[in-house]
DNA sequence: AACCAGGTGGAGC
DNA sequence: GCTCCACATGGT
C-alpha cells in the first residue's frame, strides 16, 4: 500500500487491499452512497469522496485526510490477514467476492446508536433513521449533516426518536445516551479487554450479544468477536452444516474456528451471503 | 393480509 | 441456565 497525502487529497495505491464498494456496502457502516463517479461516506463530523483514478488507484478527497487514514485503517497490511484466512475453504469464495473489504475504525457513540437501531430492523430503514437523527440534531455542512455529538444526542427525546422511525428502540436510545452522558462509561470501556467490554456494553438498554459484538468490532477494532444475526445464522446453516440454534453458541463456535481473525471472517461471510441473495 | 427485518428484555420454568 | 413472547414500523 502506497499512501500519499497531498493537501486535501489522499492517493491510495494497491487496490488489492481496498475496494470502496465492498468496504462501504458490507454492512459495517450506514451513512454512505454512490454519486456520479465517486463513493461518499459521512463518519461522525467528517466527509469523504472516493474516486477511482486507475486500475489500482484511488483518490480520497476529504475534509480531514488524517482522520480517514485512520478510519480506513490504511496503515494496516491486509496481506497477512488474507493469507491466514485463505486456509479456510469456506472463505475462498466470500474472499473473492469481497476482495478489498477493510474493517473501518468508526466512532464509538455512533456505533452504539446505530446498532441499537439495527435490532430487528431493515437496513434501508436503519439508514433512514440515522439520516433523520443527523438532519435534525447534527451540524449542517455543505456536504450534508454530521452525525450529532453526544451532547446533542442527549437532547433527543423518546418522541423524537419515534418520529425518526426508531420504534420500540426509542426508550433504549434515550436511556443509553443518558448513561453515556452522565457517567465515565466510554472512558472505562476502551480500557477493558473484549470479554469485560462486552459485559459492560450488554448492561446498556437495547444492547445484547449481537449489538455488543458489532460495537466491539466496528468501533473498537476487537476482531475476536463474531456477531451472529439472521444472515450469519443462514451462513452457519448453509456453509457449516450447523445444527446449533442458539446464537450465542453459534458465535462461540465461529470464534473458536476463526480466533483473532473472527471479525474479518464475519464481514466476508456477511457480504457474501447478502450478495448471493440479490 | 400475514410475515419478516443485522434482536433485546422480561417472564416463567 | 433455558424457551417463549411482546415490542414499533414499514415493506412485500
Amino acid at each position: 500500500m502506497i499512501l500519499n497525502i497531498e493537501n486535501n487529497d489522499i492517493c491510495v495505491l494497491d487496490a488489492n487491499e481496498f475496494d470502496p464498494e465492498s468496504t462501504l456496502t458490507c454492512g459495517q457502516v450506514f451513512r454512505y452512497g454512490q454519486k456520479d463517479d465517486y463513493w461518499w461516506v459521512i463518519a461522525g463530523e467528517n466527509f469523504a469522496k472516493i474516486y477511482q483514478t486507475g486500475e489500482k488507484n484511488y483518490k480520497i478527497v476529504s475534509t480531514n485526510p488524517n482522520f480517514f487514514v485512520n478510519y480506513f485503517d490504511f496503515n494496516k497490511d491486509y496481506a497477512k490477514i488474507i493469507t491466514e484466512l485463505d486456509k479456510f475453504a469456506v472463505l475462498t469464495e466470500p474472499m473473492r467476492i469481497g476482495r478489498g473489504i477493510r474493517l473501518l475504525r468508526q466512532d464509538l457513540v455512533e456505533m452504539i446508536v446505530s446498532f441499537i437501531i439495527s435490532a430487528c430492523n431493515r437496513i434501508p430503514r436503519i439508514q433512514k433513521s440515522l439520516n433523520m437523527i443527523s438532519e435534525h440534531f447534527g451540524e449542517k455542512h455543505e456536504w450534508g449533516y454530521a452525525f450529532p455529538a453526544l451532547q446533542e444526542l442527549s437532547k433527543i427525546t423518546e418522541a423524537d426518536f419515534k418520529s425518526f422511525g426508531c420504534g420500540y428502540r426509542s426508550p433504549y436510545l434515550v436511556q443509553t445516551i443518558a448513561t453515556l452522558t452522565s457517567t465515565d462509561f466510554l472512558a472505562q470501556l476502551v480500557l477493558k479487554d473484549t470479554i469485560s467490554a462486552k459485559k459492560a456494553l450488554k448492561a446498556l438498554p437495547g444492547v445484547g450479544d449481537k449489538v455488543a459484538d458489532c460495537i466491539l468490532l466496528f468501533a473498537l477494532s476487537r476482531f475476536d468477536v463474531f456477531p451472529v444475526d439472521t444472515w450469519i445464522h443462514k451462513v452457519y446453516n448453509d456453509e457449516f452444516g450447523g445444527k446449533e440454534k442458539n446464537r450465542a453458541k453459534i458465535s462461540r463456535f465461529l470464534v473458536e474456528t476463526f480466533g483473532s481473525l473472527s471479525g474479518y471472517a464475519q464481514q466476508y461471510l456477511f457480504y457474501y451471503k447478502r450478495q448471493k441473495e440479490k
Side-chain angles (χ1 to χ4, degrees):
Chain A
M1 173 85 60
I2 299 169
L3 188 65
N4 290 315
I5 298 182
E6 318 166 342
N7 300 324
N8 285 342
D9 294 352
I10 302 173
C11 295
V12 180
L13 307 183
D14 194 350
N16 287 332
E17 300 182 22
F18 177 53
D19 178 62
E21 175 166 4
S22 56
T23 295
L24 294 175
T25 67
C26 73
Q28 58 182 328
V29 54
F30 297 104
R31 304 194 66 210
Y32 67 88
Q34 191 177 23
K35 190 171 184 288
D36 302 329
D37 57 341
Y38 61 87
W39 286 88
W40 59 266
V41 61
I42 300 173
E45 56 180 13
N46 295 287
F47 175 77
K49 293 182 192 176
I50 305 149
Y51 295 88
Q52 184 158 14
T53 56
E55 193 187 341
K56 293 187 169 192
N57 303 81
Y58 292 89
K59 181 174 76 171
I60 300 184
V61 180
S62 76
T63 50
N64 189 343
N66 288 316
F67 172 89
F68 282 101
V69 169
N70 176 66
Y71 181 78
F72 286 109
D73 209 2
F74 279 139
N75 287 318
K76 178 175 284 174
D77 181 9
Y78 269 63
K80 250 189 271 179
I81 296 163
I82 290 167
T83 302
E84 200 66 26
L85 290 177
D86 264 332
K87 294 174 185 167
F88 298 96
V90 71
L91 293 180
T92 305
E93 186 64 6
M95 287 174 68
R96 191 182 68 77
I97 301 290
R99 195 82 189 183
I101 288 179
R102 300 187 73 86
L103 273 288
L104 302 173
R105 300 169 60 82
Q106 302 187 73
D107 180 75
L108 183 50
V109 174
E110 186 171 353
M111 289 302 97
I112 292 173
V113 170
S114 299
F115 282 96
I116 287 176
I117 293 172
S118 80
C120 201
N121 208 341
R122 288 176 192 274
I123 290 175
R125 196 155 79 95
I126 300 166
Q127 294 174 324
K128 192 183 173 191
S129 292
L130 291 170
N131 286 333
M132 288 182 78
I133 290 169
S134 303
E135 284 159 19
H136 287 265
F137 289 89
E139 202 176 341
K140 185 174 169 57
H141 295 268
E142 63 277 8
W143 41 261
Y145 291 88
F147 190 79
L150 185 55
Q151 207 54 45
E152 299 305 310
L153 290 171
S154 68
K155 297 174 184 166
I156 307 179
T157 66
E158 191 177 322
D160 290 329
F161 279 124
K162 286 201 169 175
S163 74
F164 303 150
C166 298
Y168 67 90
R169 309 160 196 84
S170 301
Y172 300 154
L173 291 164
V174 171
Q175 291 170 44
T176 287
I177 289 166
T179 300
L180 303 184
T181 309
S182 62
T183 69
D184 63 345
F185 182 96
L186 294 169
Q188 293 300 318
L189 184 71
V190 299
L191 303 175
K192 297 180 192 291
D193 61 77
T194 302
I195 303 286
S196 315
K198 182 165 176 176
K199 195 176 169 187
L201 282 166
K202 284 176 68 176
L204 297 172
V207 180
D209 278 305
K210 189 270 175 183
V211 170
D213 283 343
C214 285
I215 295 164
L216 290 167
L217 179 56
F218 301 137
L220 299 182
S221 299
R222 306 296 176 90
F223 299 105
D224 51 342
V225 299
F226 209 114
V228 176
D229 62 0
T230 53
W231 293 97
I232 293 297
H233 204 155
K234 284 180 195 171
V235 168
Y236 173 74
N237 288 335
D238 299 347
E239 315 294 331
F240 292 81
K243 293 172 185 168
E244 186 59 58
K245 290 187 174 174
N246 181 297
R247 289 192 177 182
K249 287 184 182 170
I250 294 173
S251 179
R252 215 171 301 154
F253 163 76
L254 293 167
V255 170
E256 281 169 12
T257 303
F258 297 105
S260 62
L261 298 179
S262 292
Y264 299 100
Q266 193 269 356
Q267 225 37 41
Y268 286 120
L269 288 167
F270 180 86
Y271 183 68
Y272 165 74
K273 199 64 178 174
R274 281 179 53 82
Q275 288 295 112
K276 233 176 123 180
E277 294 277 319
K278 286 179 183 172

